[in-house]
Amino acid sequence: MVAPSSSSLTPPCPCKGSTPCCASVPADFFRPHRERPIIPSRRHDMPMAESELTRIRNNHRLLLALCDQLERIADRLPDGIDRQECLVLARALGPALYRIQTVEETLAFPVLAGWQSLEPEMAETLERLRFEHQSDLCYAEEIQDMLRAYGEGRPSPAPDAAGFMLRGFFEGIRRHVAFERQALLPLAALMRHAPASGVLRSA
């Protein structure tokens, strides 16, 4: 294992400047505190602005970059991991995930709920996504504990179990992001040109 340096463990963006997310995500996005982003409330008949859609797309890129970093850690277990990287992720993972989920639930979910009259399954879909958000946060806490243990030089659980935990987490996040990108965001974008209320009036 690579020992942590004495430098500050202020979490950087996990993509280290190599993907577009760094250009769009605030520099302090990975501050290790679970703070609720300040986002104005939204009615379901208010279409999303392009900047809001872009914000969610950038958050998706950030989540996928995090998954890539977790996968690299899983691939390098037990002896090739960077302990400082583990400590950084242990501090940042849960708070970053919470902020990303809050943005989605505040900006996108109310808009998508406006389609319930045309798509009765939408309410069930949004409820399932909220449940997945909560499950992912709980899982992230376990991942953080494991990363902290490895970062502090006390590997627990065993490498095989740690790798299984990591892969279960980042594969679930990737599936969640893929569904939102392929199914929900295009629908939210469509509402910029044809809000659900207008569609219903013309139906």
Side-chain angles (χ1 to χ4, degrees), residues 10 30 40 50 71 73-74 96 110 120 131 144 158 172 177 181 193:
T10 300
F30 272 77
E50 183 60 36
E71 184 172 19
I73 291 174
F131 177 78
Q144 286 179 279
V177 169
R181 295 174 88 174
H193 307 287

Side-chain angles (χ1 to χ4, degrees), residues 10-70:
T10 300
C13 173
C15 72
K16 303 183 187 302
S18 61
T19 69
C21 74
C22 287
S24 306
V25 175
D28 65 343
F29 191 85
F30 272 77
R31 58 192 182 278
H33 303 289
R34 187 177 290 191
E35 301 170 1
R36 184 177 180 86
I38 300 175
I39 307 172
S41 59
R42 171 184 299 280
R43 301 195 317 269
H44 69 79
D45 58 346
M46 294 173 59
M48 294 181 67
E50 183 60 36
S51 61
E52 294 171 335
L53 289 167
T54 298
R55 182 178 183 180
I56 293 178
R57 293 187 187 107
N58 288 335
N59 282 349
H60 282 163
R61 294 189 187 100
L62 180 59
L63 274 179
L64 294 178
L66 269 171
C67 289
D68 291 344
Q69 192 168 14
L70 292 172

Side-chain angles (χ1 to χ4, degrees), residues 2 5 18 22 24 33 45 71 82 84 90-91 105 140 159 174 176 192:
V2 180
S5 69
S18 61
C22 287
S24 306
H33 303 289
D45 58 346
E71 184 172 19
D82 183 326
Q84 179 169 329
R91 296 175 64 203
E105 293 183 15
R174 284 171 174 165
H176 184 95
R192 296 190 66 241

